[in-house]
Amino acid sequence: MPIKSNFFRVETILGLGLGLGYLTSLRFTDLIGVPEILILISIIFLLMKNGKVFFLYNRNLESYIKFYILLALFVQLPLITLTTFFMTYYNTDPMYVVSFVMGGMLTFLLVNAVQFRGFDFSKVTLFFFFSFVISNLITFVFFPSLTESFRYEGGADNPNQLMFYASSLSLLLLIYHKKLSIIGIPVIIWIVLKTQSNAYFFTLYMTIIFYFIFIFFFHSKHKFSIRVIFFLISFTILSFVIINIYSDELLDIWFQADEGGSRIPLMLNGIEVVKLSPIVGWGAGSFSGLVPFASGEAHSTPIDLGMQLGIIFPIILYVIMFSAMFKKLKDKEYLVAAFILGFIFSGFFHFTARHFTFWVELSIFYRFAFHNYLKNNIPTTTQNEMYK
């Protein structure tokens, strides 16, 4: 039996769990629904297959980063959450510890599965795509009343939640099913545009703009390091000039997009919370709001992660993401790099790490940064022996 067929069931289950994950309004409880159960089954199956290598470490940077991420999620987060819960009146939520632990496990179980056992992400992507699209089409056809509001939600608690899954799915299609992406990505865009998500409009806009910027700066025969330095210097100077010249116009656009004007205070108050515990954070919970510790999210993934786990954790995660982006630029895959950047941008205005798509994408970025695997890496004899 081919190695990759060993994972057919988990690839199917994981894909369905991701494709239906946006149906947050249909959960049995605040955190648990059918998609979450499917994700849990996937984690259990992967752990049964990868148990012998999940805690395998070498003396290198990759293993040190893996160790820190798992230590932060498995040990630091529960301890700090319980400390904050019992010693303060802040809005902790210990149940989210389970979600974060599952996310971290999913990331590295997928890394191991692809690295050692031929896990096929193309199958995951197919089931992700068809379950996401078909479930939305069912809503359009059989529940038209749900599409009549100004902002389409499609079974989500918040219309912006569809954006998280659309950004992840578009990137996966582009990596693993380039031909299908020609049709699939426009279909996804058509669905999510109905949500009227300003963050999604911005993500699309920045993805398109940076696709052409990447071609301009990186499609040359100079050394890649020279191209990166030239790009970073030019981008910094250009950003400084644009912000200084068009600051009033940019603020007007921001306030029009941010209905109610609450997003900036949420982010700023989130930063104030981070400053008060920058190394270990405050644990799982919501600590921003119109004032610091007012039981709200900062609505920005790096800030929310910083509040919960300290600044080191999000810094490492975003270094991995940008490393993956530059790896794709080095490979001249400009569109993939632009969609990676779009995925990163989408998380600046919402807390995307609460959804398992974030951790699945992190596994892919991690492999790009350290291994550059795309679909199936052929296991060596030594690697196969680890599973016997």
Side-chain angles (χ1 to χ4, degrees):
M1 181 182 292
I3 290 176
K4 64 181 181 180
S5 66
N6 291 336
F7 278 102
F8 178 76
R9 287 174 295 173
V10 72
E11 290 160 351
T12 304
I13 294 170
L14 179 59
L16 291 174
L18 295 174
L20 302 176
Y22 72 95
L23 298 172
T24 51
S25 68
L26 302 181
R27 288 172 175 171
F28 313 134
T29 68
D30 290 341
L31 297 178
I32 302 173
V34 171
E36 288 71 33
I37 293 174
L38 293 175
I39 296 293
L40 178 59
I41 294 172
S42 302
I43 291 172
I44 293 172
F45 190 91
L46 287 167
L47 190 59
M48 291 170 60
K49 293 288 184 180
N50 294 338
K52 293 183 180 180
V53 295
F54 181 71
F55 295 103
L56 180 66
Y57 293 93
N58 297 308
R59 293 182 179 179
N60 55 33
L61 178 62
E62 175 192 351
S63 290
Y64 295 149
I65 289 176
K66 174 184 175 182
F67 177 78
Y68 169 75
I69 291 174
L70 292 180
L71 182 69
L73 294 175
F74 281 58
V75 180
Q76 174 189 321
L77 185 64
L79 289 177
I80 300 300
T81 300
L82 291 176
T83 302
T84 304
F85 180 80
F86 287 111
M87 299 185 66
T88 73
Y89 293 101
Y90 301 150
N91 187 39
T92 55
D93 194 343
M95 284 300 297
Y96 267 111
V97 173
V98 178
S99 178
F100 276 108
V101 169
M102 287 174 60
M105 290 184 66
L106 184 60
T107 293
F108 292 105
L109 285 170
L110 289 174
V111 171
N112 293 150
V114 175
Q115 183 179 358
F116 296 135
R117 297 287 288 190
F119 182 91
D120 191 351
F121 251 111
S122 65
K123 289 188 176 70
V124 176
T125 304
L126 277 179
F127 283 98
F128 187 174
F129 173 73
F130 285 115
S131 57
F132 180 84
V133 171
I134 292 173
S135 59
N136 276 283
L137 292 179
I138 289 174
T139 302
F140 295 154
V141 175
F142 296 102
F143 303 96
S145 61
L146 297 177
T147 67
E148 293 172 357
S149 61
F150 173 66
R151 299 189 66 183
Y152 169 68
E153 296 181 358
D157 286 328
N158 186 314
N160 289 311
Q161 290 178 352
L162 274 81
M163 176 194 70
F164 309 156
Y165 294 85
S167 299
S168 297
L169 178 55
S170 299
L171 179 56
L172 288 174
L173 280 174
L174 199 60
I175 295 171
Y176 298 107
H177 288 281
K178 284 185 168 55
K179 292 182 180 179
L180 179 59
S181 69
I182 297 172
I183 299 174
I185 291 179
V187 171
I188 295 168
I189 292 173
W190 173 73
I191 291 172
V192 183
L193 286 181
K194 295 180 179 296
T195 67
Q196 296 293 312
S197 170
N198 291 313
Y200 189 62
F201 294 147
F202 176 76
T203 297
L204 284 178
Y205 177 77
M206 297 304 292
T207 300
I208 295 169
I209 292 296
F210 271 92
Y211 170 63
F212 292 105
I213 290 176
F214 287 156
I215 292 176
F216 177 79
F217 279 99
F218 290 94
H219 193 67
S220 69
K221 295 182 179 179
H222 295 95
K223 289 182 62 176
F224 182 72
S225 58
I226 300 297
R227 285 177 278 167
V228 170
I229 293 171
F230 181 62
F231 165 74
L232 293 176
I233 293 174
S234 301
F235 179 73
T236 302
I237 294 173
L238 184 61
S239 298
F240 180 80
V241 171
I242 291 175
I243 290 173
N244 276 273
I245 295 176
Y246 298 103
S247 58
D248 293 336
E249 290 82 355
L250 291 172
L251 282 174
D252 288 339
I253 293 173
W254 173 268
F255 284 115
Q256 288 178 13
D258 183 19
E259 300 174 4
S262 62
R263 197 63 60 100
I264 290 180
L266 290 174
M267 293 180 180
L268 292 177
N269 289 328
I271 293 173
E272 291 300 317
V273 172
V274 173
K275 288 180 180 178
L276 295 173
S277 181
I279 305 302
V280 296
W282 295 93
S286 301
F287 307 108
S288 183
L290 297 181
V291 294
F293 297 104
S295 304
E297 292 181 348
H299 286 72
S300 177
T301 301
I303 299 175
D304 278 298
L305 286 175
M307 287 194 297
Q308 299 185 50
L309 289 146
I311 59 174
I312 298 175
F313 191 86
I315 287 174
I316 289 177
L317 263 55
Y318 279 90
V319 167
I320 292 172
M321 294 181 192
F322 281 106
S323 297
M325 184 193 76
F326 281 110
K327 279 287 183 71
K328 294 296 101 183
L329 287 174
K330 188 174 184 179
D331 295 338
K332 297 188 181 297
E333 295 190 42
Y334 307 118
L335 193 57
V336 173
F339 268 84
I340 291 176
L341 189 60
F343 176 84
I344 294 172
F345 276 131
S346 71
F348 286 164
F349 308 102
H350 294 282
F351 187 21
T352 57
R354 289 190 294 109
H355 298 261
F356 289 113
T357 52
F358 177 89
W359 302 97
V360 172
E361 294 291 351
L362 182 63
S363 75
I364 295 170
F365 298 148
Y366 187 91
R367 289 185 289 110
F368 283 172
F370 293 108
H371 306 287
N372 208 23
Y373 294 112
L374 277 178
K375 291 187 179 180
N376 296 326
N377 184 49
I378 300 175
T380 64
T381 302
T382 302
Q383 290 166 342
N384 276 328
E385 290 296 325
M386 295 178 184
Y387 285 83
K388 293 183 178 179

